[in-house]
Each structure stands twice: as structure tokens, then as C-alpha cells.
Amino acid sequence: MESNPDQRVSTDALFMRTQLNNEWHARPTAQMASPFRCSHQVFQRQGPSSHARENFARLCQSHGQASPVDGSRHHQTTLGSALVKWEGHTDADSVTCLVPGNAAPLFSEPAFGLAPKPLRSLFGEKLFCGIKVEVLKQTVGDMDMAVIRGSLGADNLYGGPVADGKASLWSSFLLDAEGFSRIVIVDHELPPGAIGRLLQRVIEADSYRMQAMSALPLARETMANLSALEAELEPLMESLAADRDTVDHDAMLNRLSMMAAQTEHLAAATSYRFGAAKAYSSIVEQRLEELREELVLTQPRYSVFLLRSLQPAMRTCLAAERRIDQLAQRVSRATSLLNSMVGVRQTQQTNRMIESMSRNAEMQVRLQEAVEGFSIFVISYYSLGLINYMLTAAKALGSPLDPKITTGIMTPLVLVSVWVFVHWVRRRITQKSD
């Protein structure tokens, strides 16, 4: 039985709408009542995204839990005493573990330590970002800043009231011995479900900050390469401006072509990372705005530190990207200018060659005319000689004509006849060539 084409189109459209609608639910929030602790890890992907999903699926099945479906980019389940959420990103995988209750003392027993041990090595060893969070349930009056400072390992903290004063957020932005940053969130009076959304915003702001900052070393390396290329381009431009006759235009054109290729290589090698950095930076700024921090004059806000380091880094990436475009335009203009100069020189050489050929042709015409004049005399001389021989022979046979007198009389006639004949032959040849 044949299927209806309209039905197939409707089914395909429904499948597309379903996929697009599922994007709104692609990043579910892990929820847990305060107090609890959280560990968030971001691993650089070392293979296809399907490998990470398959490995996580096997771990879920080994603990009797539902596994992620094929093609999914997130999954949330309970493994041991931890609520575990896996997310697959463009070039990384993240794992978030939530465990009820706080460690005593804070951060002494992270959440991932209570998850199954295979989870720690499931996504490889390239840990790109690690965050430990302790979510406390305290009122504003019960909040002990001495304990928070001690747990964060610094006297100078960044943070303050967030979520319209219903929670507090603190961090020193220092890494502990395991390479994790530590964050303390104090839930004062957040409604149910709000603490999970706040936690996700904080985690995303810190992890995306690190991913955006990963473009900074590339930007600095690109700046150094651009400086070397610009320093090499400057003397070439000076030579073009001077227009010296000793300049080797072919060698200069080859060098400009090499510089254009190197500039395009830089653009191709950095465009993806710089574009991703801008996208991550936009997400960080959006998440920080969603925190709804309150201004405290005696305490630097959480967003102040993040933006203080992130914005200069993004400006450096933007400057590197702009310098690549400017250098590409300068090399292109220099190449066009050099091609124009070479074209002008070639035109001048061609004109001089044509003028030389014209002079040579004129000289050849004059020489030819001279040769023709000589040839008329030569032909006439030999013709008169033949006539003289014939008249001498006729005189010997009894002719009354004197050979010398007759030859002298015929000389003008022969010259005119030869001249007419030669010019007739030349006209015939000229007409055939035209």
C-alpha cells in the first residue's frame, strides 16, 4: 500500500517541530532542597559526542537506571547517593553531581566523591573546568562570614546578596589543591525550585567564563604573529612608495602572496575559537544579569571579578580579529598596487618595444627602397649588356645598326621599363599580402 505524500510531509514537519520544541528543554535544571553540595566538571571531548553518551549510558545501566536515548544531549539520573546530570556541548561534556547536606567542614567531601568511582574517569582526564559549590540554608542573621572565608581560603571575597536579597553568593575565585574553584551559596528564603535555577546560572557563568577565556592564549599568539607580519609588510610598502628601479617586483609579489596566505591561515585558525569566545562571553553576561545582584558599597560584587577579567580578554580577542582583517586588507591593497605598477611597467616596455619595431620596420622599408633602386640599375645594366651582345652579333651578320649607339639610345627606355616592371611586381606582392 503506497503512502500518501501529504502524510509524509506532515510527519516530517511534525518531527522537525518536535526537535525544535525539545531545544527549549535541552538544559533541564537539577533540583534539590537546600542544604546540599554540588560538583561541576567540564571535560574537553576527546572523541565523537556519541562516545560520551554511550559511556554514560553503560554506567547508568550498570546501576539499574534509565540511560540516555540515542541523539540526546543531556540526561539526569540518580547514581548512588548523588543526583547526576550529564550534558553534551559542542566540544565538551559536563557532569554535575548534587548530594544532600553540607560537608563538615565545608568542601571537605565534594559531591563527586559520593558518586560512583567510574564516573570520575568516564570522560577522560582533560578536565577543563571544575567547580565545587556548598549551598547553605541560613538566614541573613545566621550567616557566619568567618566560616565562609575559611572555607574559601581567602579574606577578600567577591559576592553579596543576589536574587533580590533572597540569597547570597560568595567566592574567592582561587583554585584549591584539586584545581577546583569554590563557591558558597546561602539560601535565605528562596521559593521552591529557585535555588536550582540560581545554581545553574552560577555554574554556567563560571564554566562559560573559562571557555571564553580559553581564547585568550590564542589571541596573544595571534597578536605576536600579526606583529611579525606587519613588521615584514612595512618595508615592502616603503619600497612600493619609493618606486625604486632596483626593486625586484617578482620577488615582492611572491612575498606578498605568501603573506596573504599566512593571513588567511590565521583567520581560518582563529575564527571558530574567537566566535565561540564571543558567544560564551554573551552567555556569561546574561547569566550575571540574571543573578540580580544588589549593590553593596563595602563588598565587591561577584560579577565585578568575572567581568574585570573577562571583558579585557574579549577585547583582546576582538582586537586580534580586527587586526587580521586589517592586515588582510593591507596585503590585498599592496598586492593590487604592485600589480598595477607591474602592469604600467609592462605597458611601458611594450610601447617601447612597439616603437623600436616601428623604427626597424621604417628602416627596413627605406633599405628596401634603396635596394630596389640599386636593383633597377643592376637589372638595367645586365639588360643593356644582353642587348649589346645581340646588336654586336647582328652587326657581325651585316646589320647596319651600330651596337654602341643603339645601346646608348635604348638605355633610357630600358631603365624606364625596368622601373615600371619592378614597381608593378611590388604592387602585386603588396596586394596579395593585404
Side-chain angles (χ1 to χ4, degrees):
M1 181 176 181
E2 295 183 358
S3 58
N4 189 347
D6 295 337
Q7 184 178 0
R8 288 199 304 270
V9 173
S10 177
T11 303
D12 294 340
L14 176 60
F15 178 73
M16 181 178 295
R17 290 198 305 273
T18 302
Q19 282 188 318
L20 294 176
N21 185 74
N22 289 340
E23 288 296 323
W24 295 96
H25 309 281
R27 295 289 181 261
T29 302
Q31 297 290 348
M32 183 171 288
S34 305
F36 63 91
R37 72 197 87 166
C38 170
S39 296
H40 180 75
Q41 297 168 282
V42 180
F43 297 90
Q44 289 184 344
R45 185 172 295 137
Q46 300 177 358
S49 58
S50 58
H51 289 179
R53 182 175 57 252
E54 292 169 358
N55 292 337
F56 188 67
R58 284 193 291 269
L59 180 63
C60 294
Q61 292 172 0
S62 65
H63 286 76
Q65 300 291 335
S67 59
V69 298
D70 293 339
S72 64
R73 294 185 292 121
H74 64 89
H75 187 68
Q76 184 171 296
T77 186
T78 301
L79 299 178
S81 58
L83 177 63
V84 180
K85 183 177 72 169
W86 161 78
E87 291 183 83
H89 304 274
T90 303
D91 51 3
D93 293 283
S94 64
V95 180
T96 306
C97 299
L98 279 70
V99 176
N102 300 120
L106 298 179
F107 299 105
S108 61
E109 190 176 11
F112 66 80
L114 300 178
K117 290 184 178 180
L119 182 64
R120 305 178 189 179
S121 59
L122 195 64
F123 302 99
E125 298 180 354
K126 292 187 176 181
L127 180 64
F128 181 76
C129 176
I131 307 171
K132 298 176 183 177
V133 184
E134 290 281 355
V135 180
L136 311 179
K137 183 64 175 178
Q138 296 175 347
T139 63
V140 178
D142 294 337
M143 189 168 52
D144 191 345
M145 291 304 300
V147 174
I148 294 176
R149 286 190 178 91
S151 64
L152 296 177
D155 294 331
N156 298 324
L157 302 182
Y158 295 86
V162 295
D164 300 326
K166 297 180 180 179
S168 295
L169 171 65
W170 305 98
S171 179
S172 63
F173 292 103
L174 299 176
L175 300 181
D176 60 14
E178 296 177 306
F180 283 71
S181 61
R182 295 182 176 184
I183 299 174
V184 174
I185 299 177
V186 184
D187 179 3
H188 301 315
E189 49 179 342
L190 287 172
I195 185 61
R197 294 189 295 271
L198 176 61
L199 175 64
Q200 183 166 352
R201 294 188 186 108
V202 172
I203 287 176
E204 289 182 351
D206 200 65
S207 59
Y208 285 132
R209 169 183 70 99
M210 293 298 296
Q211 296 189 57
M213 292 288 290
S214 66
L216 182 59
L218 178 62
R220 289 172 176 168
E221 180 182 356
T222 302
M223 286 288 198
N225 294 331
L226 289 172
S227 298
L229 290 174
E230 289 170 348
E232 187 176 354
L233 179 62
E234 192 61 31
L236 296 180
M237 296 301 295
E238 291 180 357
S239 299
L240 286 177
D243 193 17
R244 303 186 185 95
D245 294 333
T246 58
V247 174
D248 188 348
H249 291 90
D250 292 336
M252 187 180 295
L253 184 59
N254 290 334
R255 187 58 205 137
L256 286 174
S257 300
M258 289 295 298
M259 292 182 66
Q262 291 174 338
T263 305
E264 289 299 324
H265 175 70
L266 283 177
T270 59
S271 60
Y272 171 77
R273 178 51 57 193
F274 289 164
K278 286 190 288 188
Y280 291 140
S281 176
S282 299
I283 295 175
V284 171
E285 293 177 358
Q286 181 182 3
R287 296 297 182 267
L288 292 177
E289 184 178 353
E290 293 171 352
L291 290 178
R292 303 194 305 278
E293 290 182 279
E294 292 185 0
L295 179 61
V296 180
L297 298 178
T298 59
Q299 185 69 41
R301 288 179 294 172
Y302 181 82
S303 60
V304 168
F305 179 86
L306 288 182
L307 296 179
R308 188 176 65 187
S309 56
L310 178 63
Q311 290 178 342
M314 293 302 99
R315 293 190 188 101
T316 302
C317 295
L318 182 61
E321 192 173 21
R322 187 183 300 114
R323 283 183 64 185
I324 290 175
D325 294 336
Q326 292 175 349
L327 180 60
Q329 294 176 7
R330 290 179 61 190
V331 172
S332 178
R333 288 194 298 267
T335 304
S336 300
L337 178 60
L338 180 60
N339 286 330
S340 300
M341 295 176 63
V342 171
V344 170
R345 289 181 179 274
Q346 289 178 347
T347 302
Q348 293 175 347
Q349 292 175 357
T350 302
N351 292 336
R352 287 195 295 268
M353 186 180 299
I354 292 175
E355 292 176 356
S356 176
M357 292 175 63
S358 178
R359 289 192 300 269
N360 292 335
E362 185 178 355
M363 292 179 61
Q364 289 179 357
V365 170
R366 293 178 180 178
L367 181 61
Q368 183 179 357
E369 291 176 351
V371 171
E372 287 179 359
F374 287 119
S375 65
I376 290 173
F377 286 104
V378 171
I379 295 173
S380 299
Y381 174 79
Y382 283 107
S383 299
L384 290 173
L386 292 174
I387 292 173
N388 186 50
Y389 287 146
M390 289 187 292
L391 291 174
T392 301
K395 180 67 176 178
L397 294 175
S399 173
L401 298 176
D402 184 79
K404 292 182 179 181
I405 296 175
T406 305
T407 302
I409 294 172
M410 293 184 65
T411 297
L413 179 62
V414 171
L415 285 173
V416 172
S417 300
V418 171
W419 182 85
V420 172
F421 177 76
V422 169
H423 281 269
W424 177 79
V425 171
R426 189 175 66 177
R427 282 199 304 270
R428 291 289 303 271
I429 294 174
T430 304
Q431 290 175 358
K432 288 182 179 180
S433 63
D434 293 339

